[in-house]
Amino acid sequence: MSVQNWEIRARRAKDVLLNSVPKQWILPAHRLPPAHQKNVEDFPRKSGVLSDREVSITEMSATALVAGMRAGLLSAEEVVIAFLKRAVLGHQLLNFATEFMAERAIARARELDEHFKRTGKLVGPLHGVPISVKEHIAIKGRTCNAGFVAWVDDIANEDALLVQYLEKAGAVFHVRTNQPQSLMHLCCDNNLTGPTTNPYNRTLTPGGSSGGEGASMGFKCAALGVGTDIGGSVRAPAGFCGAYGFRPTTLRLPGTGIKVPGAGQEAIRGTAGPLASQSVEDLDLFQRAILDQEPWEIETSLVPIPWRRVKATKAMTVGIMWDDGCVRPHPPVTRALQHAKEKLLAAGIKVVDWEPYRHDHGWEIVVRPSPLNPALHPSLASPQLTTPPEKSNLYFPDAANSQRTVLSQSGEPLLPLTEWAFAYSRASPLTIPENWALNYKRDVYRDEYHALMKSRGVDFILCPVYVGAAAVMGESQYWNYTAIWNILDYPGVVFPSGLVVDPALDPLDGGYRPRSEVDAREWVKYRPERYEGAPIGLQLVGKHFKDEETLAAAGLVSDIVQGRAEDIKPRL
Amino acid sequence: MSVQNWEIRARRAKDVLLNSVPKQWILPAHRLPPAHQKNVEDFPRKSGVLSDREVSITEMSATALVAGMRAGLLSAEEVVIAFLKRAVLGHQLLNFATEFMAERAIARARELDEHFKRTGKLVGPLHGVPISVKEHIAIKGRTCNAGFVAWVDDIANEDALLVQYLEKAGAVFHVRTNQPQSLMHLCCDNNLTGPTTNPYNRTLTPGGSSGGEGASMGFKCAALGVGTDIGGSVRAPAGFCGAYGFRPTTLRLPGTGIKVPGAGQEAIRGTAGPLASQSVEDLDLFQRAILDQEPWEIETSLVPIPWRRVKATKAMTVGIMWDDGCVRPHPPVTRALQHAKEKLLAAGIKVVDWEPYRHDHGWEIVVRPSPLNPALHPSLASPQLTTPPEKSNLYFPDAANSQRTVLSQSGEPLLPLTEWAFAYSRASPLTIPENWALNYKRDVYRDEYHALMKSRGVDFILCPVYVGAAAVMGESQYWNYTAIWNILDYPGVVFPSGLVVDPALDPLDGGYRPRSEVDAREWVKYRPERYEGAPIGLQLVGKHFKDEETLAAAGLVSDIVQGRAEDIKPRL
């Protein structure tokens, strides 16, 4: 096989990565778990690389780490070294990093320690917290390729605005993380540094597009992470990897310096969002640390709403959405919802069923539904779906030409899930009036959904993160358990239910008759053994701009569902 | 001349209007001022139609009217009858109405009076305040044509959301007002009910596109009015007619039920905004009355920022923009700015010069600059302007096809200022990526402008409303003294300086050498006698989303400039 030009360019991304891995903490291959071992999540304890104290540090929440540093019990330097060690192990097992920044991180940690020694004060609410960052969020002086080979030599002129604010708040950046080609997979593979895998089951994807972040959180390579989300790209990775993730309402977190093709697209906005390895509380800490700095004073398109301090109470109504009316969740997901329902009821929370409101309609605002192949599933073919509405395209108003252009600049081949995503676009770009008509349809749908939540008295919707607990590598085809909330622009929090896929508890339900080809396609993927050990995440969604309330509620709900509600939570 | 089909349709709008004018208050032609009398603003006092008490009522602020009703000194019925009488006179002189709603208004006023008698309470903050409404803001069961002949038979299914909120707050709607064809003139003429004129000088336009509202306010046919503004359409009419007007930051006031071609256009958003005949305080009252009802709970694209109560203090810095760097204001405008500067300095307000930041660049984001005709002005032709940037089009991303389509549906001829506006569009629609690139450029410009205001320490910019005190009918060609703030999405308040154009004080400045053909085109329009008697408005602009602060500051600044600062303001 001859080496193509694009491969030569792509190798530069690998070189950046390989040169950056701190050699002193690399474990020889024979000391790593065997390649066939699926679950590697608990390897750090056994690796011999981390001391017990270091293992403990890496399993603390950001909130607890900061408290520990404030109390003088921890130094920022030992914290970042612990996380760096764990991140190197994680990378060896999961290929989640695109670049380590060990020297920078350690130097920064020492600065923080010196500051604390000198003043007795922390520099900010994230003092000394190691944070991993998705690669397309620019770091000054470093490559920013966004998963495209063509952009491998693009060096950022300055830190993304979000990175600047995090740094001012005291964060330490030690590792940058992987993303899929085109940024439009719920998986995580590209032609630069290759696929990232899931720490709980290495035949599964960590999710995407912030898949490197999912792996980073699942393996606890950082206390907090930063991803981006336009269709589930923060929440799927959090859910697949047993972690916490938050997609805020758009226009709250700054986007300046986050590299994507087609900047200026506003019909469906993407947003950055935090991931956390330990708690919902850490997601709130992240939001607070940014928004207390008033980012709208620099990025003026942001909405100037300060981050409000909200306390959750049990006086709320949670609607459980068991199924989106289109694609049935796999049995483990339904079991986790059932488990959550029982726990919430037992805790005295009002729980009702949430009947989804036209999620197919919402979905068809953003994508062209895949044409059915009636030959394959004659019994399932529905006449509506065989004639996809040609005007639906808000995920790809330009027919993905901005992405295709960047791909063609290097000549790199399209990965199957890139082809899959682009197939959601119709062949030709929208015209301006078509785009306007869809914007209008989107707004009407948003108003209707909101009115329905109010009239039903539902404050939050508890729902699946994805069809399954996770996806097998390359199989993440159905986005609408997360994307629907992007279409509606609702804040959503993902948290682990505490349950994992268990073939004994999650047998195949042979009796289910899928409602459509898409439903069938997803249903046939389920066999319990394929997902064994995968943590089952849940998603709590709140109303537009009710970010603070949604996070507060998710903190309470996750504690209840995980059975920690009555525990005294450890606070260092 | 044969009657065309479009004329037959257009006549239906005239019929609606003529049938709606309350006959009992129509004055015979011989009792009206002669057609050649330019200034008719003070005619109500002399007309014999209104009693002295009625004249006084119509010259009260909305705030004072509500206070009077709360004190039991005024009834809603007598108030609306006074304004109806004045509005009928105004319409006879200025042709500003598209439809009277006398019966509805009087019935509503009686309801309010009964409510007050029964409960001793007002129904809301606008109890009994007569409000005129621009025609394209829907009123249930009535035509909503938005100035297009093709839409003359479109009957609204429900009140615009804004109208619903105003009505809940106690408003009384007695008259609907005129707008120009296409809604994209700063004048006010159409093929339906014809041109509206300016009460201070009937050879001048009342401005546009909310020109009927300008006339309504200038003649005091209502205490408050509702217009819409995407390039100056609230502010120009307020300025030309000696009234008050406010363009809020977009996404604060609801837009549902406001009819325009091309719904879903979001690159440069239009917004509704109030006009007031008496005070800035009334503009704040309007905003408060709406936003206290949380309109974002229905129209979810609105930003959920409650209306804040803000008090202005003299501790602010006002930057005066004497010239936008492109088109020189006429001498009366410069005189009013000079007058304002002296008054502000005397009042102890910090005043600096505001050097405009690339207003030509801002303008070129939204329109294709008119190609120069070097044959006409060889000495002025600049090479840049003769090759207009083909990609600039955010006012007409679809090349005005949505408007052209509606126009062609009736076959009505395009008015010259419609042709003028459409000439600001390039010939072909933007592509989606071109639109995105302009959105991006717009956001960068907004961020830069904001950073500059902050770094210069300027809180508010005091500037012209328009090149001149007003425009001669059909001559309002230069929009960028108002449009620039739409491009930047800054709130702007217009108020009367208290001065009027005076040939003795505002002679022609023969020595000025225009910088461009556009500058020359506007400069040659000035001869003092053409604008005699026109009130000179000023515009105070604040930062994005600083609506409350901008209104509060404008209240203080207008009091100072008008010499009312030290007076005890009458409060009923």
Side-chain angles (χ1 to χ4, degrees):
Chain A
M1 204 170 89
S2 73
V3 173
Q4 305 289 314
N5 273 337
W6 72 263
E7 290 177 277
I8 295 166
R9 292 178 77 174
R11 191 164 298 162
R12 294 213 277 278
K14 262 195 186 116
D15 290 345
V16 165
L17 171 57
L18 290 175
N19 291 332
S20 74
V21 185
K23 308 282 175 297
Q24 64 274 36
W25 297 312
I26 294 177
L27 216 55
H30 71 270
R31 288 181 53 196
L32 292 173
H36 63 79
Q37 183 182 321
K38 291 180 184 173
N39 189 330
V40 296
E41 186 266 341
D42 67 346
F43 181 68
R45 292 179 179 280
K46 309 167 184 165
S47 66
V49 174
L50 285 85
S51 67
D52 287 351
R53 181 176 169 93
E54 285 172 329
V55 168
S56 297
I57 285 171
T58 54
E59 296 179 3
M60 286 169 73
S61 71
T63 306
L65 288 170
V66 174
M69 286 183 264
R70 182 179 290 115
L73 300 175
L74 294 170
S75 75
E77 184 176 357
E78 72 169 332
V79 168
V80 77
I81 285 173
F83 278 104
L84 273 166
K85 286 181 175 180
R86 193 152 179 152
V88 172
L89 282 183
H91 182 65
Q92 288 191 273
L93 297 170
L94 310 168
N95 190 44
F96 82 98
T98 65
E99 185 173 10
F100 282 82
M101 303 187 290
E103 280 179 35
R104 170 190 164 131
I106 294 168
R108 167 70 171 157
R110 286 179 181 152
E111 264 175 38
L112 293 170
D113 288 336
E114 279 157 28
H115 174 93
F116 180 71
K117 224 174 273 171
R118 204 171 56 246
T119 67
K121 287 184 178 153
L122 305 183
V123 305
L126 295 174
H127 183 105
V129 176
I131 298 188
S132 53
V133 182
K134 190 177 184 179
E135 196 268 356
H136 77 136
I137 303 172
I139 306 268
K140 184 177 176 174
R142 297 176 190 264
T143 172
C144 189
N145 60 51
F148 292 98
V149 174
W151 285 350
V152 78
D153 293 322
D154 285 18
I155 306 298
N157 290 324
E158 55 182 342
D159 286 346
L161 193 51
L162 192 55
V163 167
Q164 294 176 37
Y165 284 119
L166 290 169
E167 189 147 54
K168 274 184 209 148
V172 176
F173 303 110
H174 61 309
V175 63
R176 305 177 69 199
T177 65
N178 207 20
Q179 62 217 340
Q181 184 187 50
S182 85
L183 297 165
M184 291 299 273
H185 310 182
L186 291 184
C187 278
C188 191
D189 190 6
N190 59 44
N191 289 320
L192 292 156
T193 55
T196 301
T197 54
N198 188 314
Y200 286 88
N201 180 335
R202 289 193 286 172
T203 67
L204 301 176
T205 173
S209 66
S210 314
E213 285 304 316
S216 172
M217 293 300 109
F219 203 77
K220 298 163 187 63
C221 303
L224 280 167
V226 197
T228 54
D229 192 320
I230 196 171
S233 287
V234 160
R235 290 160 294 154
F240 291 9
C241 295
Y244 299 80
F246 179 51
R247 186 208 92 95
T249 302
T250 61
L251 298 179
R252 296 205 72 178
L253 288 182
T256 304
I258 299 179
K259 192 164 181 184
V260 290
Q265 187 282 109
E266 298 174 343
I268 301 291
R269 289 178 187 268
T271 175
L275 296 93
S277 65
Q278 299 296 336
S279 73
V280 172
E281 191 183 20
D282 282 1
L283 302 173
D284 190 86
L285 170 65
F286 180 102
Q287 291 294 113
R288 200 174 352 125
I290 301 298
L291 288 171
D292 283 359
Q293 297 182 62
E294 306 191 341
W296 51 84
E297 289 294 333
I298 304 286
E299 187 173 313
T300 62
S301 50
L302 300 179
V303 172
I305 301 180
W307 190 253
R308 291 170 289 114
R309 272 55 174 173
V310 167
K311 271 209 167 307
T313 72
K314 288 185 176 177
M316 61 177 163
T317 300
V318 175
I320 297 189
M321 187 181 83
W322 302 93
D323 183 305
D324 73 350
C326 306
V327 174
R328 186 163 196 183
H330 292 174
V333 174
T334 304
R335 177 167 64 90
L337 284 172
Q338 188 59 47
H339 167 82
K341 179 181 175 177
E342 288 158 15
K343 289 281 192 178
L344 290 171
L345 286 173
I349 306 267
K350 185 172 178 195
V351 176
V352 299
D353 287 341
W354 178 257
E355 190 189 335
Y357 176 67
R358 301 180 76 199
H359 284 211
D360 51 346
H361 171 77
W363 183 231
E364 288 177 15
I365 291 171
V366 293
V367 302
R368 189 192 67 146
S370 316
L372 282 187
N373 183 343
L376 277 177
H377 295 272
S379 66
L380 302 170
S382 105
Q384 299 96 298
L385 278 178
T386 50
T387 52
E390 259 307 299
K391 289 188 176 172
S392 296
N393 223 31
L394 283 192
Y395 267 146
F396 300 102
D398 70 340
N401 283 333
S402 48
Q403 288 97 335
R404 286 183 203 277
T405 301
V406 183
L407 291 166
S408 70
Q409 280 162 2
S410 70
E412 65 173 307
L414 269 62
L415 300 183
L417 281 184
T418 304
E419 303 267 20
W420 176 263
F422 291 175
Y424 275 139
S425 167
R426 67 175 198 182
S428 59
L430 291 177
T431 64
I432 294 287
E434 285 170 343
N435 200 153
W436 292 351
L438 286 168
N439 290 348
Y440 182 78
K441 201 168 161 183
R442 175 204 66 200
D443 281 357
V444 169
Y445 182 58
R446 287 175 176 177
D447 290 354
E448 288 172 351
Y449 213 105
H450 184 71
L452 200 65
M453 279 189 77
K454 289 187 70 168
S455 73
R456 292 181 183 169
V458 167
D459 302 304
F460 305 101
I461 297 172
L462 184 68
C463 60
V465 182
Y466 182 73
V467 187
V472 172
M473 298 274 281
E475 287 189 2
S476 58
Q477 291 169 298
Y478 186 69
W479 305 352
N480 209 31
Y481 275 99
T482 44
I484 192 71
W485 312 117
N486 299 79
I487 296 158
L488 290 166
D489 200 12
Y490 281 8
V493 184
V494 162
F495 60 91
S497 66
L499 309 182
V500 296
V501 178
D502 180 342
L505 297 172
D506 302 311
L508 195 62
D509 170 6
Y512 180 63
R513 302 282 305 153
R515 291 156 289 191
S516 70
E517 185 173 5
V518 175
D519 196 9
R521 180 194 76 210
E522 295 301 326
W523 190 248
V524 300
K525 288 174 183 168
Y526 186 67
R527 294 194 301 281
E529 61 279 12
R530 302 183 83 211
Y531 300 93
E532 192 172 352
I536 314 171
L538 292 172
Q539 183 177 205
L540 191 80
V541 171
K543 291 169 183 157
H544 189 50
F545 276 115
K546 295 286 184 195
D547 300 84
E548 293 87 339
E549 289 79 359
T550 308
L551 272 173
L556 181 57
V557 167
S558 63
D559 281 353
I560 292 169
V561 171
Q562 294 163 2
R564 297 194 301 182
E566 310 309 323
D567 302 355
I568 292 152
K569 282 208 257 171
R571 294 270 190 284
L572 238 163
Chain B
M1 206 169 90
S2 72
V3 174
Q4 306 287 315
N5 273 337
W6 71 262
E7 289 177 278
I8 295 167
R9 293 178 76 175
R11 192 164 299 162
R12 295 214 276 277
K14 261 195 187 116
D15 290 345
V16 164
L17 171 58
L18 290 175
N19 291 331
S20 74
V21 184
K23 308 283 175 296
Q24 64 273 36
W25 297 312
I26 295 178
L27 215 54
H30 71 272
R31 287 180 55 195
L32 293 172
H36 63 79
Q37 183 181 322
K38 293 180 185 174
N39 189 330
V40 296
E41 186 267 340
D42 66 346
F43 181 67
R45 292 178 179 279
K46 310 167 183 164
S47 66
V49 174
L50 286 85
S51 67
D52 286 352
R53 180 176 169 94
E54 285 173 329
V55 169
S56 296
I57 284 172
T58 53
E59 295 180 3
M60 286 169 73
S61 71
T63 306
L65 288 170
V66 174
M69 286 184 265
R70 182 179 291 116
L73 302 175
L74 293 170
S75 76
E77 185 176 355
E78 71 168 333
V79 167
V80 76
I81 286 174
F83 277 104
L84 272 166
K85 286 181 175 181
R86 193 155 180 150
V88 171
L89 282 184
H91 182 64
Q92 288 191 270
L93 297 171
L94 309 169
N95 189 43
F96 82 98
T98 65
E99 186 173 10
F100 281 83
M101 303 186 292
E103 281 178 34
R104 169 190 166 133
I106 293 169
R108 167 71 170 156
R110 286 180 182 153
E111 265 176 41
L112 294 170
D113 288 336
E114 279 157 29
H115 174 94
F116 180 71
K117 226 175 270 172
R118 205 171 57 246
T119 65
K121 287 183 179 154
L122 305 183
V123 305
L126 295 173
H127 184 104
V129 177
I131 298 187
S132 52
V133 182
K134 190 178 184 181
E135 197 270 354
H136 78 136
I137 304 172
I139 306 269
K140 185 177 177 175
R142 297 177 189 264
T143 172
C144 190
N145 60 51
F148 291 99
V149 174
W151 285 350
V152 78
D153 293 323
D154 286 17
I155 306 298
N157 289 325
E158 56 182 344
D159 286 345
L161 193 51
L162 193 54
V163 168
Q164 295 177 36
Y165 284 118
L166 289 170
E167 189 147 52
K168 274 185 208 146
V172 176
F173 302 111
H174 61 309
V175 63
R176 306 177 68 201
T177 65
N178 206 24
Q179 62 217 339
Q181 184 188 52
S182 86
L183 298 166
M184 292 298 273
H185 310 182
L186 291 184
C187 278
C188 190
D189 190 7
N190 60 45
N191 289 321
L192 292 157
T193 54
T196 301
T197 54
N198 188 314
Y200 286 88
N201 179 336
R202 290 193 285 172
T203 67
L204 301 176
T205 174
S209 65
S210 313
E213 285 304 317
S216 172
M217 293 301 110
F219 202 77
K220 298 165 188 61
C221 303
L224 280 167
V226 197
T228 53
D229 191 319
I230 197 170
S233 286
V234 160
R235 291 161 292 155
F240 291 11
C241 295
Y244 299 80
F246 179 49
R247 187 208 92 96
T249 302
T250 62
L251 297 178
R252 297 205 72 179
L253 288 181
T256 304
I258 299 178
K259 192 164 180 185
V260 290
Q265 186 281 110
E266 299 175 342
I268 301 291
R269 289 179 187 267
T271 175
L275 295 93
S277 65
Q278 299 297 335
S279 73
V280 171
E281 191 181 20
D282 281 1
L283 303 172
D284 190 87
L285 170 66
F286 180 103
Q287 291 295 113
R288 199 173 354 125
I290 301 299
L291 289 170
D292 283 359
Q293 296 182 63
E294 306 190 342
W296 50 85
E297 288 295 334
I298 304 284
E299 186 174 313
T300 62
S301 51
L302 299 180
V303 172
I305 301 180
W307 190 254
R308 293 170 287 114
R309 272 56 174 173
V310 167
K311 273 209 166 307
T313 72
K314 289 185 175 176
M316 59 177 164
T317 299
V318 175
I320 296 188
M321 188 181 84
W322 302 92
D323 182 304
D324 73 350
C326 306
V327 173
R328 185 163 196 185
H330 292 174
V333 175
T334 304
R335 177 167 64 91
L337 284 172
Q338 188 59 46
H339 167 80
K341 180 180 174 178
E342 287 158 16
K343 290 280 194 178
L344 291 171
L345 287 173
I349 306 268
K350 186 172 177 194
V351 176
V352 299
D353 287 341
W354 178 258
E355 191 189 334
Y357 176 66
R358 299 179 78 199
H359 285 211
D360 51 345
H361 172 78
W363 182 232
E364 287 177 16
I365 290 170
V366 293
V367 302
R368 187 192 69 144
S370 316
L372 282 187
N373 183 343
L376 278 177
H377 294 271
S379 64
L380 303 170
S382 103
Q384 301 96 298
L385 280 178
T386 49
T387 52
E390 260 307 298
K391 288 186 177 175
S392 297
N393 224 30
L394 283 193
Y395 268 145
F396 301 101
D398 70 339
N401 283 332
S402 48
Q403 288 99 335
R404 286 183 205 278
T405 301
V406 184
L407 291 167
S408 69
Q409 280 161 3
S410 70
E412 64 173 306
L414 269 61
L415 299 184
L417 281 184
T418 305
E419 302 268 21
W420 176 262
F422 291 176
Y424 275 140
S425 166
R426 67 176 200 182
S428 59
L430 291 177
T431 65
I432 294 286
E434 284 170 343
N435 200 153
W436 292 350
L438 285 169
N439 290 347
Y440 181 78
K441 200 167 159 184
R442 175 204 65 200
D443 282 356
V444 169
Y445 182 58
R446 287 176 176 176
D447 290 353
E448 289 172 351
Y449 213 105
H450 184 72
L452 200 64
M453 278 188 76
K454 290 186 69 167
S455 73
R456 291 182 184 169
V458 167
D459 302 302
F460 305 100
I461 297 172
L462 184 67
C463 60
V465 182
Y466 182 72
V467 187
V472 172
M473 298 274 281
E475 287 189 1
S476 58
Q477 292 170 299
Y478 186 70
W479 305 351
N480 209 31
Y481 276 99
T482 44
I484 192 71
W485 312 117
N486 298 80
I487 297 157
L488 290 166
D489 200 10
Y490 282 8
V493 183
V494 162
F495 60 92
S497 65
L499 310 183
V500 297
V501 177
D502 180 342
L505 298 171
D506 302 311
L508 195 63
D509 170 7
Y512 180 61
R513 301 283 306 153
R515 290 156 289 190
S516 71
E517 185 174 6
V518 175
D519 196 10
R521 181 193 75 209
E522 296 300 326
W523 189 248
V524 298
K525 288 174 183 169
Y526 186 67
R527 294 192 303 280
E529 61 280 10
R530 301 184 82 211
Y531 301 92
E532 191 172 352
I536 312 169
L538 292 172
Q539 183 177 203
L540 191 80
V541 171
K543 291 168 184 159
H544 190 49
F545 276 115
K546 296 286 185 194
D547 300 85
E548 293 87 338
E549 288 79 359
T550 307
L551 271 174
L556 182 57
V557 167
S558 63
D559 281 353
I560 292 169
V561 172
Q562 293 163 1
R564 297 194 303 182
E566 308 310 324
D567 303 353
I568 292 152
K569 281 208 256 171
R571 292 269 190 283
L572 239 163

